Coordinates of all heavy atoms in Angstrom, one line a residue:
F3 N 54.8 -51.5 22.9 CA 55.5 -50.7 21.9 C 55.0 -51.1 20.5 O 54.8 -50.3 19.6 CB 57.0 -50.9 22.0 CG 57.7 -50.0 21.0 CD1 57.9 -48.7 21.2 CD2 58.3 -50.6 19.8 CE1 58.5 -47.9 20.2 CE2 58.9 -49.8 18.9 CZ 59.1 -48.5 19.1
L6 N 51.8 -49.5 19.8 CA 52.0 -48.1 19.6 C 52.5 -47.8 18.2 O 52.1 -46.9 17.6 CB 53.1 -47.6 20.6 CG 53.6 -46.2 20.4 CD1 52.6 -45.2 20.5 CD2 54.8 -46.0 21.3
A10 N 50.6 -45.4 15.7 CA 51.3 -44.1 15.3 C 51.3 -44.0 13.8 O 51.5 -42.8 13.3 CB 52.8 -44.1 15.8
R32 N 53.6 -40.4 11.7 CA 54.4 -41.2 12.6 C 55.6 -40.6 13.2 O 56.0 -40.8 14.3 CB 54.9 -42.4 11.7 CG 55.6 -43.5 12.5 CD 55.8 -44.7 11.6 NE 56.4 -45.8 12.4 CZ 57.7 -46.0 12.5 NH1 58.6 -45.1 12.0 NH2 58.2 -47.0 13.3
M312 N 64.1 -39.8 28.8 CA 63.1 -39.9 27.7 C 63.3 -40.9 26.7 O 62.4 -41.6 26.3 CB 62.9 -38.5 27.1 CG 62.3 -37.4 27.9 SD 60.5 -37.8 28.3 CE 59.8 -37.6 26.7
I315 N 61.8 -44.4 27.3 CA 60.3 -44.6 27.5 C 59.6 -44.8 26.2 O 59.7 -43.9 25.3 CB 59.7 -43.3 28.2 CG1 60.4 -43.1 29.6 CG2 58.2 -43.4 28.4 CD1 60.0 -41.8 30.3
S316 N 58.9 -45.9 26.1 CA 58.3 -46.2 24.8 C 56.8 -46.0 24.7 O 56.2 -46.2 23.6 CB 58.6 -47.7 24.4 OG 58.1 -48.6 25.4
I317 N 56.2 -45.7 25.8 CA 54.7 -45.4 25.8 C 54.4 -44.1 25.1 O 55.3 -43.3 24.9 CB 54.2 -45.4 27.2 CG1 54.9 -44.3 28.0 CG2 54.3 -46.7 27.9 CD1 54.3 -44.1 29.4
P318 N 53.2 -43.9 24.6 CA 52.8 -42.7 23.9 C 53.0 -41.5 24.8 O 52.7 -41.5 26.0 CB 51.3 -42.9 23.6 CG 51.1 -44.3 23.6 CD 52.0 -44.9 24.6
I319 N 53.6 -40.4 24.2 CA 53.9 -39.2 25.0 C 53.4 -38.0 24.2 O 53.7 -37.8 23.0 CB 55.4 -39.0 25.3 CG1 55.9 -40.2 26.1 CG2 55.7 -37.7 26.0 CD1 57.4 -40.2 26.2
L320 N 52.6 -37.1 24.9 CA 52.2 -35.8 24.3 C 52.9 -34.7 25.1 O 52.8 -34.7 26.3 CB 50.7 -35.7 24.4 CG 50.1 -34.3 23.9 CD1 50.4 -34.1 22.4 CD2 48.6 -34.2 24.2
L343 N 62.4 -33.8 20.0 CA 62.0 -35.2 20.3 C 61.2 -35.8 19.2 O 61.4 -37.0 18.8 CB 61.3 -35.3 21.6 CG 62.2 -35.4 22.9 CD1 61.4 -35.6 24.1 CD2 63.3 -36.5 22.7
P344 N 60.2 -35.1 18.6 CA 59.3 -35.7 17.6 C 60.1 -36.3 16.4 O 59.6 -37.3 15.8 CB 58.3 -34.6 17.2 CG 58.3 -33.7 18.4 CD 59.7 -33.7 18.9
Q346 N 63.0 -37.6 16.6 CA 63.9 -38.6 17.1 C 63.1 -39.9 17.6 O 63.6 -41.0 17.5 CB 64.8 -38.1 18.2 CG 65.6 -36.9 17.9 CD 66.4 -36.4 19.1 OE1 66.7 -37.1 20.0 NE2 66.6 -35.1 19.1
L347 N 62.0 -39.6 18.2 CA 61.2 -40.7 18.8 C 59.8 -40.7 18.3 O 59.0 -39.7 18.3 CB 61.1 -40.5 20.4 CG 62.5 -40.4 21.1 CD1 62.2 -40.0 22.6 CD2 63.2 -41.7 21.0
S348 N 59.4 -41.9 17.7 CA 58.1 -42.0 17.1 C 56.9 -42.0 18.0 O 55.8 -41.8 17.6 CB 58.0 -43.3 16.2 OG 58.2 -44.4 17.1
N349 N 57.2 -42.2 19.3 CA 56.1 -42.2 20.3 C 55.8 -40.8 20.9 O 54.9 -40.7 21.8 CB 56.4 -43.2 21.4 CG 57.7 -42.8 22.2 OD1 58.7 -42.5 21.5 ND2 57.6 -42.9 23.5
V350 N 56.5 -39.8 20.4 CA 56.4 -38.4 21.0 C 55.7 -37.5 20.0 O 56.1 -37.4 18.8 CB 57.7 -37.8 21.4 CG1 57.6 -36.4 21.9 CG2 58.4 -38.7 22.5
R351 N 54.7 -36.8 20.5 CA 54.1 -35.7 19.7 C 54.2 -34.4 20.5 O 54.0 -34.4 21.7 CB 52.6 -36.0 19.4 CG 52.4 -37.1 18.4 CD 51.0 -37.4 18.0 NE 50.9 -38.3 16.9 CZ 50.0 -39.3 16.9 NH1 49.2 -39.5 17.9 NH2 50.0 -40.2 15.9
W377 N 44.2 -36.6 21.3 CA 45.3 -37.5 21.6 C 44.8 -38.6 22.6 O 45.1 -39.8 22.4 CB 46.5 -36.7 22.2 CG 47.7 -37.5 22.5 CD1 48.7 -37.8 21.6 CD2 48.0 -38.2 23.7 NE1 49.7 -38.6 22.2 CE2 49.3 -38.8 23.5 CE3 47.4 -38.3 25.0 CZ2 49.9 -39.6 24.5 CZ3 48.0 -39.0 26.0 CH2 49.3 -39.6 25.8

Side-chain angles (χ1 to χ4, degrees):
F3 181 77
L6 167 64
R32 184 173 185 269
M312 291 295 290
I315 302 175
S316 60
I317 58 175
I319 300 172
L320 174 65
L343 279 183
Q346 302 174 31
L347 302 174
S348 62
N349 59 315
V350 177
R351 287 183 176 138
W377 184 86

